[in-house]
Amino acid sequence: MSDNDGKKTLGLRGGNRPGNVTQSFSHGRKKNVVVETKRKRVVVPKPGAAKTGGGAAKPGGDPSRRPSGISDAEMERRLKALQAAKAREAEDAAKREAEEKERAEARERRRLEAEAKEREQREAEERARKKAEEEERKKKEAAEAAAKRAAAEAAAPAPSSTPQGRGAPSGKPAPVATPRKADREREQRGRGNKGRDDGRRSGKLTLGQATGGENNRHRSMAAMKRKQERARQKAMGGQVEREKVVRDVQLPEAIVVSELANRMAERVADVVKELMKMGMMVTQNQSIDADTAELIIEEFGHKVVRVSDADVEDVIADVEDKEEDLQGRPPVITIMGHVDHGKTSLLDAIRDAKVVSGEAGGITQHIGAYQVKTDDGVTLSFLDTPGHAAFTSMRSRGAQVTDIVVLVVAADDSVMPQTIEAINHAKAAEVPMIVAINKIDKPAADPNKVRAELLQHEVIVEAMSGEVQDVEVSAHTGQGLDELLEAIALQAEILELKANPDRAAQGAVIEAQLDVGRGPVATVLVQTGTLKQGDIFVVGEQYGKVRALINDKGERVKEAGPSVPVEVLGLNGTPEAGDVLNVTETEAQAREIAEYREQAAKDKRAAAGAATTLEQLMQKAKEDENVAELPILVKADVQGSAEAIVQAMEKIGNNEVRVRVLHHGVGAITETDVGLAEASGAPIMGFNVRANASARNTANQKGVEIRYYSVIYDLVDDVKAAASGLLSAEIRENFIGYAAIKEVFKVTGVGKVAGCIVTEGVARRSAGVRLLRDNVVIHEGTLKTLKRFKDEVAEVQSGQECGMAFENYDDIRADDVIEIFEREEVTRTLD
């Protein structure tokens, strides 16, 4: 048997990596055991063989060192297993050592790469710095050279004084290079050098090439620092979380999701994800309420600052002026009084102008604002208010912006209703009053009667030991005008009127109109600050930028200080008379405030006309069924007139009929107005305005009625008459007689017939009748027949007998009383 015949291959069990152990043996001689592992081949001495450095006893040779009961084969098997385990342990240790070495090499490699990048960055920055320094140095050198050239040109002699050079022909100067020629030569040399420099620098590294921004947008220094920080964190083997920035997030009543993310400086996707976790499937363009947004803000770790929509007006909060900033200002005087008492004529005499001629019917229907300079150099600002009852609100606004009220009372007419109203406005505004007794030149003038009647309204003039100044004037002759101006100046001096002109302007709209060619125009009385051309402002629900300022004389001015009335151009819409004008810093602020006010006014109007309970809804529906409406459209030349007309229309009507103003505005009547009127079946009332050509044609085609007025009396009377036509006619009953039933007869073919005697008045067949039994009405109807003897008659006089039969009624008895009456329709009118 050969040596290979006895070879066996044993698979060792145990361990993570089983190896193959090959055992060689023979019958004649001992052989070594060869252990083959995955990576190494280990030769293990055969058991019992002598070892280097010591003699291990053979298994069969030294039985004393072998445990009892263990055979040579078992002992050999155990030694083989031990050797295999040691081999696997050595293999694992070698592998761990190799992996650790690879990780160390990788860390070193990353560190070297980071250092190389930082070194390249520093070198690029250094090159950029050197390049900037070189450019600065070249600029300085160029500037010095230019200065030297300029000095050389200034000091160079004229060409005619140049001496002849050697070799030059006699009588001709030698050719010498002038400074300009030298400069051109140097410039050409410089261009050539520059081209050569560009060629030499073409292979050098620039800052743009180093940062990867050549011919593109260059990366900022902050971006480079962030990149270095990321590289450093990557080299350290981990990501360092940035510190959370806690922000104060302003939260209104409702907010868009994208705006909320922007205020928190968070990703929109993250905010949407949090909302979805809360069960809200929204997009970034949808709005959420404040409570939900507050939960989101707290979830992201920010602080909530609740704000209201009204906070947008905080930018125009009142600012208290310092005492040292205040300067004197002209007084604002409002002229008030009854219709046709001469208010405007008196102001005309002061202004030496003719304003009355421009007013329809000789009455003032607008608020006028004027400035007057007296002979003493004192500037006065006057407001002329209408005296008609419809302009109560306009007079009220005039009193609110005024410093002094001049109450004009006609000496021949005394105190009238609008005079009393003006007194009440002046008292409500808590402003001093001066009584001007006008028309003193008329024969029927009685100033003492005026003073006595003013006592009934707690106005005590100086002539009657009071504190209110009174002056007798005549606008026609000019009598007493100087005394009136002196009284106004004295009162203004007592008031010590001051304002700060060096601040953002604030004023009141006296009147507003839509002017063709100029757009919306507002007459503004500046109360404090200075209104300048180009200022951005908000006034009521409108905003704009001052395009032009026009004073009361029609002249353009650059600015208007306190107590100066001006026309302001540049609004985006027509404001309401009485609105307050405030100057803002930006147009965005003005637009935001105007939009907020417009929405608030819309909500207020909706709430005023809305029913909140079921009972209110039913009551409103019932009232609408029983009330007839006259719809109209109103267009006026100015906002104040339109508002006054609307207020007058609201007073017309009763519980059966009312006037409803569908729309009111300023400016010409347009096709839009005609379309609305046609859809609503309403007439259009134009006050001092006309319809344009297209609107007239459309109105004629669609049958829309357009009426023009220039005096408010006529408009109110016409509308009142039209509304009266909607009233149902009043039915009146006139009792014309009584008849007593003496006996009841039965007539064939007719039924029961009452034999009566007319006791009072007359009985007519066409009249209505009531049957009374014990003074109780038991039937009301008409007569079927009225006979006198055997003949049908039309009427029966008192004291005569007759026969009566009722239509469809037979229950008549003796001693009943028949009441005879007639009905008539009476046309009703509104008071």
Side-chain angles (χ1 to χ4, degrees):
M1 182 182 295
S2 64
D3 293 342
N4 294 333
D5 293 340
K7 289 183 180 180
K8 293 180 181 180
T9 302
L10 300 178
L12 299 181
R13 297 178 182 177
N16 294 330
R17 293 179 176 82
N20 295 327
V21 180
T22 302
Q23 180 184 10
S24 300
F25 60 94
S26 64
H27 295 284
R29 61 181 185 273
K30 298 178 181 178
K31 289 188 177 181
N32 294 332
V33 177
V34 179
V35 180
E36 292 183 356
T37 64
K38 210 167 189 180
R39 295 189 179 187
K40 297 183 180 181
R41 179 182 177 90
V42 182
V43 178
V44 182
K46 187 178 179 180
K51 293 183 180 180
T52 305
K58 295 178 182 179
D62 192 3
S64 62
R65 299 190 61 180
R66 186 172 53 194
S68 60
I70 300 299
S71 63
D72 292 342
E74 179 65 19
M75 189 65 183
E76 185 176 357
R77 188 185 62 78
R78 290 187 180 184
L79 287 175
K80 289 178 182 179
L82 178 63
Q83 294 296 333
K86 288 183 178 180
R88 283 196 305 273
E89 183 178 357
E91 181 183 359
D92 292 341
K95 184 177 180 180
R96 285 195 300 272
E97 183 179 355
E99 290 177 353
E100 184 65 27
K101 185 177 180 181
E102 289 178 0
R103 284 197 295 270
E105 291 176 353
R107 284 197 298 270
E108 182 67 17
R109 187 166 56 254
R110 287 195 295 269
R111 184 183 65 80
L112 293 176
E113 289 176 357
E115 290 179 355
K117 289 181 180 179
E118 291 180 0
R119 185 165 57 253
E120 291 177 359
Q121 178 66 20
R122 288 196 297 271
E123 291 176 356
E125 292 176 356
E126 184 66 21
R127 285 194 299 270
R129 185 182 62 79
K130 289 181 179 180
K131 184 177 180 181
E133 291 177 354
E134 182 67 20
E135 291 178 354
E136 185 66 25
R137 184 181 61 79
K138 288 181 179 180
K139 289 181 181 179
K140 290 182 179 179
E141 291 178 356
E144 292 175 358
K148 289 180 181 179
R149 285 197 303 271
E153 289 177 0
S160 59
S161 61
T162 304
Q164 296 181 355
R166 254 185 329 188
S170 63
K172 294 183 180 180
V176 180
T178 61
R180 294 182 179 177
K181 185 176 180 181
D183 293 340
R184 286 197 296 270
E185 293 175 355
R186 280 196 296 272
E187 186 178 354
Q188 291 174 359
R189 288 196 298 272
R191 283 200 295 266
N193 293 336
K194 183 177 180 181
R196 289 193 295 274
D197 291 342
D198 293 341
R200 289 197 301 272
R201 290 179 175 272
S202 60
K204 295 188 176 180
L205 183 66
T206 63
L207 180 60
Q209 294 172 349
T211 56
E214 187 71 19
N215 299 326
N216 291 313
R217 188 166 62 92
H218 294 276
R219 302 182 68 177
S220 63
M221 189 60 67
M224 296 300 299
K225 289 182 178 180
R226 288 194 296 270
K227 183 179 179 181
Q228 291 179 3
E229 180 66 17
R230 288 194 297 270
R232 187 183 65 81
Q233 292 173 359
K234 186 176 180 181
M236 295 297 294
Q239 184 71 22
V240 179
E241 291 291 335
R242 292 184 299 172
E243 184 179 357
K244 181 73 174 180
V245 178
V246 179
R247 304 177 186 277
D248 294 334
V249 181
Q250 292 187 349
L251 182 60
E253 296 300 324
I255 188 171
V256 180
V257 175
S258 58
E259 177 63 20
L260 176 62
N262 185 28
R263 295 186 181 187
M264 293 190 299
E266 303 286 350
R267 294 173 65 245
V268 179
D270 295 340
V271 177
V272 173
K273 188 184 297 183
E274 288 296 328
L275 287 168
M276 289 183 176
K277 289 180 181 178
M278 297 169 59
M280 297 181 63
M281 299 301 169
V282 297
T283 64
Q284 62 178 354
N285 297 323
Q286 288 181 280
S287 297
I288 58 176
D289 60 287
D291 296 334
T292 305
E294 184 174 357
L295 295 175
I296 295 297
I297 293 171
E298 292 176 351
E299 183 69 24
F300 281 92
H302 300 289
K303 297 180 180 179
V304 180
V305 179
R306 284 288 189 113
V307 296
S308 173
D309 291 339
D311 293 341
V312 298
E313 298 199 38
D314 291 344
V315 297
I316 56 173
D318 293 335
V319 179
E320 294 187 5
D321 298 317
K322 298 180 181 178
E323 188 66 28
E324 57 270 17
D325 296 335
L326 299 178
Q327 300 178 14
R329 66 172 178 85
V332 179
I333 305 101
T334 299
I335 309 294
M336 288 187 172
H338 191 68
V339 174
D340 200 28
H341 275 203
K343 301 181 301 298
T344 307
S345 300
L346 181 62
L347 183 58
D348 289 344
I350 297 174
R351 296 177 60 234
D352 194 21
K354 296 295 182 184
V355 179
V356 173
S357 59
E359 293 290 351
I363 63 171
T364 301
Q365 303 180 98
H366 309 94
I367 289 184
Y370 319 99
Q371 268 202 330
V372 175
K373 199 166 187 178
T374 64
D375 297 336
D376 300 334
V378 180
T379 302
L380 306 175
S381 297
F382 283 93
L383 298 181
D384 180 23
T385 59
H388 187 263
F391 295 90
T392 301
S393 59
M394 294 175 67
R395 282 200 302 281
S396 176
R397 284 191 293 269
Q400 289 171 1
V401 299
T402 191
D403 301 315
I404 302 170
V405 170
V406 174
L407 181 64
V408 179
V409 186
D412 62 342
D413 199 12
S414 191
V415 177
M416 299 300 287
Q418 273 72 55
T419 309
I420 300 171
E421 187 182 337
I423 294 172
N424 295 332
H425 286 315
K427 290 181 178 179
E430 298 181 354
V431 293
M433 186 188 310
I434 298 174
V435 177
I437 304 175
N438 195 16
K439 302 184 181 181
I440 198 67
D441 58 319
K442 288 198 172 184
D446 189 359
N448 291 327
K449 179 185 176 183
V450 174
R451 295 186 180 99
E453 291 189 2
L454 288 174
L455 289 174
Q456 301 176 10
H457 306 286
E458 300 178 358
V459 178
I460 307 173
V461 298
E462 289 182 344
M464 305 188 75
S465 302
E467 297 181 354
V468 179
Q469 300 182 73
D470 64 312
V471 183
E472 297 179 4
V473 296
S474 173
H476 183 64
T477 62
Q479 176 185 347
L481 294 182
D482 294 336
E483 289 80 358
L484 178 61
L485 293 176
E486 288 178 5
I488 294 173
L490 176 61
Q491 188 65 58
E493 187 177 350
I494 294 172
L495 293 175
E496 295 182 355
L497 302 170
K498 293 183 179 181
N500 180 13
D502 302 324
R503 56 163 288 183
Q506 179 178 339
V509 176
I510 303 301
E511 192 55 273
Q513 61 183 342
L514 185 62
D515 195 341
V516 178
R518 298 194 299 172
V521 180
T523 302
V524 177
L525 178 70
V526 181
Q527 295 174 298
T528 183
T530 301
L531 185 62
K532 303 176 183 177
Q533 187 172 347
D535 283 348
I536 298 171
F537 62 90
V538 58
V539 50
E541 301 174 23
Q542 313 297 334
Y543 69 96
K545 184 177 182 180
V546 179
R547 288 195 292 112
L549 296 173
I550 302 173
N551 61 13
D552 58 319
K553 299 180 181 63
E555 303 169 348
R556 284 208 173 197
V557 293
K558 294 293 184 182
E559 59 183 26
S563 302
V564 177
V566 288
E567 284 188 342
V568 179
L569 278 69
L571 294 99
N572 71 323
T574 308
E576 299 286 340
D579 287 341
V580 179
L581 181 143
N582 294 97
V583 174
T584 59
E585 295 182 359
T586 63
E587 186 177 353
Q589 291 179 348
R591 185 189 304 108
E592 190 175 4
I593 295 171
E595 290 175 353
Y596 162 72
R597 289 177 177 175
E598 183 179 3
Q599 185 62 39
K602 191 180 298 182
D603 295 343
K604 185 177 180 181
R605 288 192 294 267
T612 55
T613 63
L614 182 60
E615 290 78 5
Q616 290 176 346
L617 284 169
M618 296 177 65
Q619 181 67 23
K620 191 173 186 301
K622 186 176 180 180
E623 290 176 357
D624 291 342
E625 288 179 0
N626 299 329
V627 177
E629 285 189 346
L630 172 62
I632 63 171
L633 271 77
V634 176
K635 292 300 286 290
D637 55 340
V638 295
Q639 188 69 40
S641 298
E643 182 181 351
I645 293 171
V646 171
Q647 291 179 355
M649 295 300 102
E650 290 175 352
K651 296 178 182 178
I652 297 175
N654 52 22
N655 57 353
E656 295 182 34
V657 63
R658 65 188 176 194
V659 178
R660 181 184 177 191
V661 180
L662 297 177
H663 171 69
H664 72 277
V666 295
I669 299 172
T670 62
E671 284 189 82
T672 305
D673 300 326
V674 175
L676 177 59
E678 191 239 345
S680 308
I684 301 176
M685 306 296 179
F687 186 77
N688 286 334
V689 295
R690 295 292 183 269
N692 54 35
S694 59
R696 287 196 301 269
N697 296 334
T698 306
N700 293 332
Q701 293 173 3
K702 297 183 178 180
V704 176
E705 182 182 9
I706 301 177
R707 293 192 177 189
Y708 301 120
Y709 300 91
S710 57
V711 178
I712 194 173
Y713 297 113
D714 301 335
L715 190 152
V716 174
D717 293 342
D718 281 2
V719 173
K720 189 178 293 186
S724 298
L726 297 177
L727 289 172
S728 59
E730 182 180 355
I731 306 299
R732 292 183 182 177
E733 291 185 355
N734 297 324
F735 295 97
I736 60 175
Y738 287 93
I741 299 177
K742 296 298 184 179
E743 194 173 348
V744 178
F745 303 96
K746 289 185 179 181
V747 179
T748 304
V750 177
K752 290 184 177 181
V753 177
C756 307
I757 182 171
V758 179
T759 58
E760 181 181 345
V762 63
R764 291 193 181 96
R765 186 177 179 182
S766 59
V769 291
R770 292 190 184 95
L771 183 63
L772 306 181
R773 186 173 296 165
D774 296 330
N775 292 323
V776 176
V777 178
I778 61 174
H779 175 69
E780 179 178 344
T782 59
L783 289 177
K784 181 167 60 175
T785 181
L786 177 63
K787 288 188 176 185
R788 172 83 172 143
F789 299 108
K790 293 183 179 181
D791 302 325
E792 286 282 342
V793 294
E795 64 179 24
V796 179
Q797 297 295 326
S798 175
Q800 295 179 351
E801 294 180 348
C802 63
M804 295 184 186
F806 292 92
E807 190 78 43
N808 299 324
Y809 191 77
D810 287 339
D811 185 16
I812 52 177
R813 302 175 189 176
D815 299 329
D816 287 349
V817 177
I818 298 174
E819 183 182 73
I820 307 154
F821 62 91
E822 287 183 342
R823 293 186 177 94
E824 65 173 341
E825 293 184 355
V826 180
T827 303
R828 301 167 60 194
T829 58
L830 292 170
D831 297 332

